[in-house]
Amino acid sequence: MESVGTEAANMGEREFKSCDRDDVSHLSLDIGGSLIKMVYFSSGSSSPSDDQKDSYLNDGTNTSIGTSNYNGLREKLHFLKFETSKIDECIKFISSKHLRYYGSLNPGGQDNKNLASEDNIIKATGGGAFKFADLFKEKLGIVLDKVDEMSCLVAGANFLLKAVNHEAFTYMDGRKDYVQINHKDLYPYLLVNVGSGVSMIKVDGDNEFERVSGTSVGGGTFWGLGRLLTKCQSFDELLELSRQGNNRVIDMLVGDIYGGTDYSKIGLTSTTIASSFGRAISANKELDDYRPEDVARSLLRMISNNIGQIAYLNALRFGLKRIIFGGFFIRGHAYTMDTISVAVDFWSKGEAKALFLRHEGFLGALGAFMNYEKNGFTDITHQFMEQSCEIAQDLVCKDEDL
Ligand SMILES: Nc1ncnc2c1ncn2[C@@H]1O[C@H](COP(=O)(O)OP(=O)(O)OP(=O)(O)O)[C@@H](O)[C@H]1O
Ligand SMILES: CC(C)(CO)[C@@H](O)C(=O)NCCC(=O)O
């Protein structure tokens, strides 16, 4: 994949130098069970070649996008992620930057610019905003201004759906179709955020929502079980394995039970999975006898199917036709999206649609970012997002899989 002005998670592999100290403003964090997501603006007089020197190893999701020239400065909107277990890298990264705008704990009051370090405040959401509050204070002198996780997810999703062209798309049979949603016809919808765990939120308006369900079988389950079963070292490796695997080796299909025929009376074809991992019970085989690729494939299919099905059932509960999937589990991965789409289509008999988002993993961080409302900041963000989507269409959505 191409890389333009990217910054990556592998912060441990390089030391920060003084030339990294771009002016950074409006930094927000979403600190989840698996990943820390960060959004910020930077400005500097750096030329593109300086940017090249400044770029970190790119893992395909850390991206700086939307460059524009204001007062001779190059401004950019950045999206980064770090593993939560490596929070020190995130802290090191922030300390290497020159934070020139901090938020205020009092939204109606004066902004706290260049305050003494113990008064510096950044917007943060996710469980880690609570868990790591003392660490940020101790290491960086930064107070995390906690913003509710569900309201950030909803604010981030609403913003993207309203402000960014070509943000939402359907994905079926290897085909990606962008969907332009009429703002007046956006609500209600079901937002399914697939992070470590899964939250399902019925969204009825700008700040009107209810978390109607959730499941602990989510991205953490895929990555956790997948790591144990395949011994792979990274999430991307696990996804890549799954891409090469064949789930029929391990899953028990309707045809396995029905002697190769469909069970058409109840609408099941012979190739429908009757029991995920079901073949592993009868075969006289141990884990080592299965290819990690096939294990990864069955696991991804099982979890994606399950999420698609629960999402559909919740949509049915409330009569919702649109189900929007976010969270870093999706990762623009073709097979994940395909499986979820097929599950929603199958169970709803084509009535409900699964939609995916190009900025899928950054809903919470963007929602926290939207809390910096001062001076029409939302409009600036909007402008950047529009530009960036034109400039870097392929960067954030990781189109190599599509
Ligand atoms: N590089 C990666 N490292 C680890 N997990 C990844 C990576 N890329 C994608 N994932 C997947 O994304 C999931 C985390 O997604 P996300 O960041 O949206 O949730 P989270 O905020 O960490 O979790 P929660 O909201 O439940 O606290 C992981 O559990 C894993 O399935
Ligand atoms: C606990 C949160 C909200 C943290 O992001 C998430 O991981 C989640 O929604 N888990 C599923 C919990 C449940 O509803 O069973």
Side-chain angles (χ1 to χ4, degrees):
M1 190 179 68
E2 245 186 297
S3 109
V4 178
T6 51
E7 301 184 73
N10 234 335
M11 301 302 175
E13 302 206 4
R14 81 196 285 283
E15 289 299 313
F16 298 108
K17 304 188 206 110
S18 55
C19 67
D20 296 330
R21 288 178 70 88
D22 291 341
D23 265 359
V24 163
S25 68
H26 300 88
L27 185 148
S28 68
L29 294 171
D30 173 4
I31 312 177
S34 306
L35 298 173
I36 302 172
K37 283 72 62 182
M38 181 191 286
V39 177
Y40 69 89
F41 266 134
S42 75
S43 62
S45 50
S46 53
S47 65
S49 55
D50 290 336
D51 278 352
Q52 297 283 308
K53 273 188 247 148
D54 258 5
S55 53
Y56 301 95
L57 294 173
N58 175 32
D59 71 354
T61 52
N62 289 317
T63 316
S64 316
I65 55 176
T67 308
S68 86
N69 287 302
Y70 277 174
N71 305 323
L73 295 176
R74 283 168 55 78
E75 299 209 332
K76 279 191 216 164
L77 185 61
H78 301 249
F79 294 83
L80 270 83
K81 70 168 171 54
F82 304 78
E83 286 172 33
T84 308
S85 59
K86 298 178 185 161
I87 192 161
D88 284 351
E89 292 176 1
C90 172
I91 286 176
K92 237 196 251 178
F93 178 81
I94 296 174
S95 72
S96 77
K97 299 284 174 187
H98 178 235
L99 265 169
R100 81 179 149 81
Y101 175 86
Y102 290 94
S104 163
L105 278 175
N106 171 11
Q110 287 289 308
D111 296 308
N112 298 324
K113 281 187 186 172
N114 301 320
L115 290 178
S117 61
E118 56 264 33
D119 292 317
N120 292 333
I121 293 157
I122 58 176
K123 305 282 180 192
T125 188
F130 293 81
K131 184 173 171 183
F132 298 113
D134 290 347
L135 189 71
F136 274 77
K137 188 82 175 63
E138 183 197 318
K139 299 264 178 169
L140 295 168
I142 284 176
V143 173
L144 299 182
D145 182 9
K146 301 177 194 68
V147 202
D148 175 68
E149 183 181 345
M150 298 300 129
S151 66
C152 283
L153 290 172
V154 171
N158 283 345
F159 169 74
L160 288 168
L161 290 164
K162 286 195 220 162
V164 182
N165 277 329
H166 293 126
E167 177 62 30
F169 58 93
T170 55
Y171 192 86
M172 188 76 103
D173 300 327
R175 200 189 135 117
K176 181 183 190 180
D177 286 312
Y178 286 104
V179 175
Q180 203 52 51
I181 300 172
N182 181 339
H183 295 188
K184 294 195 183 107
D185 188 31
L186 174 59
Y187 308 114
Y189 68 89
L190 185 72
L191 176 62
V192 179
N193 193 65
V194 193
S196 316
V198 186
S199 283
M200 305 200 182
I201 308 165
K202 178 164 81 78
V203 184
D204 291 303
D206 268 349
N207 198 22
E208 270 177 71
F209 63 88
E210 185 190 353
R211 183 182 189 272
V212 292
S213 193
T215 166
S216 60
V217 182
T221 319
F222 173 62
W223 177 206
L225 261 182
R227 197 181 65 79
L228 290 177
L229 292 172
T230 67
K231 309 255 185 301
C232 69
Q233 297 298 307
S234 72
F235 182 82
D236 286 342
E237 199 189 320
L238 183 61
L239 271 189
E240 181 53 27
L241 282 178
S242 77
R243 213 169 61 82
Q244 296 164 15
N246 177 2
N247 74 298
R248 294 181 185 201
V249 177
I250 300 176
D251 290 342
M252 188 185 284
L253 308 186
V254 169
D256 294 329
I257 302 172
Y258 272 76
T261 61
D262 298 340
Y263 185 177
S264 32
K265 198 171 170 193
I266 58 166
L268 298 176
T269 64
S270 65
T271 54
T272 306
I273 299 173
S275 170
S276 291
F277 284 82
R279 274 181 166 234
I281 57 160
S282 54
N284 195 15
K285 286 182 178 174
E286 299 302 323
L287 181 58
D288 284 350
D289 298 319
Y290 291 101
R291 293 193 322 141
E293 289 86 343
D294 300 336
V295 173
R297 184 82 164 195
S298 285
L299 190 59
L300 183 61
R301 182 96 187 239
M302 179 178 84
I303 288 168
S304 304
N305 242 333
N306 194 54
I307 292 169
Q309 183 173 16
I310 297 174
Y312 158 70
L313 290 171
N314 278 288
L316 185 70
R317 255 176 94 193
F318 299 102
L320 308 173
K321 296 274 179 265
R322 228 181 245 144
I323 311 177
I324 298 182
F325 291 86
F328 250 116
F329 168 72
I330 309 284
R331 274 309 280 285
H333 188 69
Y335 195 65
T336 306
M337 295 191 295
D338 214 62
T339 306
I340 289 176
S341 298
V342 168
V344 168
D345 187 69
F346 176 84
W347 288 106
S348 72
K349 299 195 169 62
E351 284 281 298
K353 276 256 165 306
L355 291 175
F356 303 93
L357 299 173
R358 290 172 53 208
H359 296 84
E360 64 206 357
F362 288 98
L363 305 186
L366 263 173
F369 195 73
M370 306 314 299
N371 271 259
Y372 293 112
E373 283 283 1
K374 203 193 141 257
N375 291 339
F377 188 66
T378 312
D379 292 340
I380 304 174
T381 314
H382 179 172
Q383 247 177 45
F384 265 94
M385 298 293 290
E386 284 291 359
Q387 285 174 13
S388 62
C389 290
E390 312 261 310
I391 295 166
Q393 178 134 0
D394 294 338
L395 276 175
V396 177
C397 62
K398 301 163 282 343
D399 270 347
E400 77 270 25
D401 279 330
L402 305 182

